[in-house]
Amino acid sequence: MTGRLDMSLANDVQEVARVIDSLEEFGAANGIPAEQSLRFGLALDELITNIISYGLAGRSDGIITLAIEHGGGVLRAELADNGPPFDPLAADAAPPVGDIETREVGGLGLTLVKSFMDRLDYRRADGFNRLTMEMKVKAA
């Protein structure tokens, strides 16, 4: 089964809920196990929240697009934004050290994204950051 979902997102963190809801519906319609849709959604939540909170913070001209496809046993997404160049794959994704009470906030999100995905690719093209992420879909 092959399916596709295309979305344009406002530069507003509340858009994450709309993405998650749409992904759940898409996953159910395409026979994707709920656990995998959840993991894919958590990765998108992290990435979109970072784009809105850091890359496009305070900008009224921010553009975010998301295309999700399912086919050939793979769930794939391309997330694009017109923020400043930022390669999340090159960013330090080492988990923070120390106990939860004393360590610095942050540092787990990109580690989570990298651990959930089977493939990640970043490129900068036409003034947009473009991150492609893939997860192999297990039989339900």
Side-chain angles (χ1 to χ4, degrees), residues 5 7 9-10 12-25 41 44-46 48-49 52 66:
L5 172 66
M7 300 180 75
L9 309 177
D12 183 336
V13 76
Q14 293 182 5
E15 287 283 85
V16 172
R18 185 168 69 95
V19 169
I20 300 304
D21 290 345
S22 297
L23 178 61
E24 285 178 9
E25 290 175 19
L44 284 172
D45 181 334
E46 174 64 24
I48 293 167
T49 299
I52 292 167
L66 174 63

Side-chain angles (χ1 to χ4, degrees), residues 7-9 51 56 59 61-66 78-88 121-132:
M7 300 180 75
S8 293
L9 309 177
I51 290 167
L56 298 177
R59 287 184 48 185
D61 65 340
I63 298 171
I64 306 168
T65 61
L66 174 63
E78 182 180 84
L79 182 60
D81 71 85
N82 68 336
F86 177 72
D87 180 355
D121 290 308
Y122 168 83
R123 72 186 195 288
R124 179 79 180 180
D126 302 321
F128 281 79
N129 296 299
R130 297 183 184 277
L131 181 70
T132 303

